[in-house]
Amino acid sequence: MAEAVVRYLRDGRLDGEHAPALALEGSLQCCSLAAGAMLHVAAALASQAAAGRAQARGLVVVAFDRSPEVYLEFMRRRGLDANALNRCVRILDCYSDPLGWKQKIQNQQHQENSTKQFSTNKENITVFRNVKDVTKLMYSITELGGGFQGEGKRYFSIAVDSISSLLRHASVPSVSGLLSNLRSHEQGSSIFWLIHTDLHEPKVPRAFECLSTMVACVEPALVDPLCVESPGSMSTLEQNYSKAKFIVRLKRRNGRVKHFYEDLYVEGNDVKFDSAPASTEVNQSLVPKVQFNLELSEKERTDRANVVLPFEHQGKGEPIRIYDGRRSLPEEQRDPNLAPALVDDIVPKSGTAKGEIHYVRDSDDEQPDSDEDPDDDLDI
């Protein structure tokens, strides 16, 4: 279902709404696979923009973790030629010289031939040398996005790779403000970013999840550690590095959240997605982890059915007739134990008042100890 994520980003924003956002979460255990998923989404979205099937005119990649050449080479392997890359892809290079140190050294030494190590002559790559200035970074992104050619309103998509590297130089509030401003920008069509969750406190990824409409988690494939490795087969560690789960939580516009996942694996220099087999393992992963059982065993169900409820009339050896609420029982079918309540002589001859409370269920469908939500059928 990675194509569904790309379609969601491709369709872009609606009038009066913020741009859709994807938070791609990975860990150090599957760092390369998370980076591959990021490259896949970026290349697929750039291909849609080049073909004119996306709302955005082009894609702006803010590269922190990888060289711009990595993105360009990957997109070339996906079928984008030089003309399409120059027309629909802009890369803000925050990888080559993020703090401007190389430029300072070059200015001090006055070596003009050293400029090639941190600048480029490609028209779709711009070097950014002050990642600590989030305001200037915002301006540079929107300036590159506004340079795409096209008729009408020129939307653009944004990819940030990665938020974890940006958080080394800026605070969480400033980075979240940057993403929020990019989502609300009038020309922003969609935005997605990568974050390594195990490099931060748990509250940090959750803060960025609140800014997104989709969350995609790249988790290691569940390989049984007790399995005996046969000669010539890959070890458990190798399998976890070559295959992972791509789990997506997508929030629809009606408020419903949809869960699905695929198998993510590396094939040569490319990233592939495969539909996961239908199994109960996926449903179990979505169940909250609690310290008690959510379902009863067969023995527990039998024991519960044999419990005598003290507040329910047991019939005293006679068959229990349950009143269904639609008709009155005939005189001969009425419970003799309830007959004293229907006669005028309620007080016994002994003069001592005596009362009884009898509970009669409306039907067998009613469970006395039911804790179901009475409004569950309203689908709230």
Side-chain angles (χ1 to χ4, degrees):
M1 296 298 291
E3 288 77 9
V5 174
V6 175
R7 287 197 303 268
Y8 197 76
L9 297 174
R10 177 200 66 186
D11 295 340
R13 68 192 299 170
L14 295 178
D15 292 338
E17 294 185 0
H18 288 179
L22 167 66
L24 183 58
E25 299 180 351
S27 61
L28 293 179
Q29 195 172 3
C30 52
C31 180
S32 60
L33 293 171
M38 185 72 179
L39 291 171
H40 171 82
V41 176
L45 193 57
S47 300
Q48 296 287 342
R53 293 192 294 265
Q55 183 189 52
R57 303 291 184 182
L59 173 67
V60 177
V61 180
V62 186
F64 285 93
D65 290 354
R66 271 159 286 280
S67 171
E69 290 297 334
V70 175
Y71 281 92
L72 296 178
E73 182 62 27
F74 189 87
M75 293 178 183
R76 291 191 192 101
R77 293 199 301 265
R78 288 298 180 91
L80 288 174
D81 55 12
N83 183 26
L85 290 175
N86 293 332
R87 179 168 48 92
C88 299
V89 178
R90 298 289 184 272
I91 299 180
L92 188 63
D93 185 7
C94 301
Y95 173 82
S96 300
D97 192 17
L99 299 176
W101 290 350
K102 293 181 180 180
Q103 188 182 39
K104 292 179 180 179
I105 295 175
Q106 184 250 343
N107 292 335
Q108 291 176 359
Q109 297 179 353
H110 301 284
Q111 296 178 355
E112 296 180 358
N113 55 357
S114 65
T115 58
K116 294 183 179 180
Q117 64 181 343
F118 61 87
S119 62
T120 179
N121 56 0
K122 294 182 178 296
E123 61 180 15
N124 57 347
I125 298 179
T126 302
V127 181
F128 189 78
R129 298 184 177 88
N130 189 10
V131 295
K132 293 183 178 181
D133 192 344
V134 179
T135 303
K136 187 177 179 181
L137 180 63
M138 169 75 181
Y139 174 78
S140 300
I141 295 173
T142 55
E143 185 180 21
L144 288 177
F148 292 111
Q149 298 179 357
E151 298 179 357
K153 197 169 185 179
R154 292 172 292 181
Y155 291 96
F156 61 91
S157 297
I158 308 160
V160 183
D161 181 18
S162 67
I163 293 297
S164 298
S165 297
L166 180 57
L167 287 173
R168 295 168 57 190
H169 309 286
S171 63
V172 174
S174 61
V175 176
S176 61
L178 170 67
L179 298 178
S180 180
N181 291 334
L182 291 174
R183 283 196 64 199
S184 60
H185 193 272
E186 58 179 6
Q187 292 180 275
S189 175
S190 59
I191 181 174
F192 57 101
W193 60 83
L194 174 64
I195 183 171
H196 301 288
T197 55
D198 50 359
L199 296 181
H200 312 282
E201 297 180 7
K203 63 181 180 180
V204 175
R206 288 197 295 265
F208 291 105
E209 287 181 4
C210 296
L211 298 175
S212 63
T213 55
M214 293 179 291
V215 178
C217 301
V218 180
E219 299 180 356
L222 298 179
V223 180
D224 189 2
L226 300 179
C227 64
V228 179
E229 299 175 2
S230 59
S233 63
M234 290 192 302
S235 65
T236 301
L237 183 62
E238 290 174 336
Q239 293 185 46
N240 284 334
Y241 272 104
S242 62
K243 186 177 180 180
K245 288 185 176 182
F246 188 72
I247 305 174
V248 179
R249 301 195 308 270
L250 189 151
K251 183 178 181 181
R252 297 185 178 276
R253 287 188 170 90
N254 59 5
R256 292 200 174 195
V257 178
K258 183 178 180 181
H259 295 78
F260 56 86
Y261 90 99
E262 289 181 324
D263 289 331
L264 168 66
Y265 60 95
V266 177
E267 187 177 279
N269 294 327
D270 203 357
V271 179
K272 300 290 185 180
F273 291 86
D274 191 13
S275 299
S279 63
T280 57
E281 183 180 359
V282 183
N283 296 331
Q284 293 297 330
S285 64
L286 301 178
V287 176
K289 296 180 180 179
V290 294
Q291 301 298 327
F292 53 88
N293 294 328
L294 297 178
E295 295 183 357
L296 298 178
S297 63
E298 190 65 29
K299 182 179 181 304
E300 291 172 338
R301 292 192 186 96
T302 304
D303 295 341
R304 186 179 68 172
N306 295 332
V307 173
V308 178
L309 302 179
F311 55 85
E312 185 173 5
H313 179 51
Q314 302 300 323
K316 296 182 180 180
E318 298 183 4
I320 300 176
R321 299 181 178 89
I322 299 177
Y323 175 55
D324 59 5
R326 292 174 294 181
R327 58 182 174 80
S328 300
L329 294 174
E331 186 69 27
E332 62 275 6
Q333 295 184 8
R334 293 184 180 178
D335 194 338
N337 296 297
L338 301 179
L342 302 178
V343 298
D344 295 337
D345 190 11
I346 299 179
V347 181
K349 295 181 180 180
S350 61
T352 303
K354 180 180 180 181
E356 294 183 357
I357 298 177
H358 296 278
Y359 170 76
V360 181
R361 285 183 289 172
D362 291 341
S363 66
D364 284 326
D365 296 335
E366 180 186 353
Q367 297 296 329
D369 58 346
S370 175
D371 58 352
E372 294 182 358
D373 186 2
D375 296 333
D376 186 54
D377 58 339
L378 300 180
D379 193 19
I380 299 177

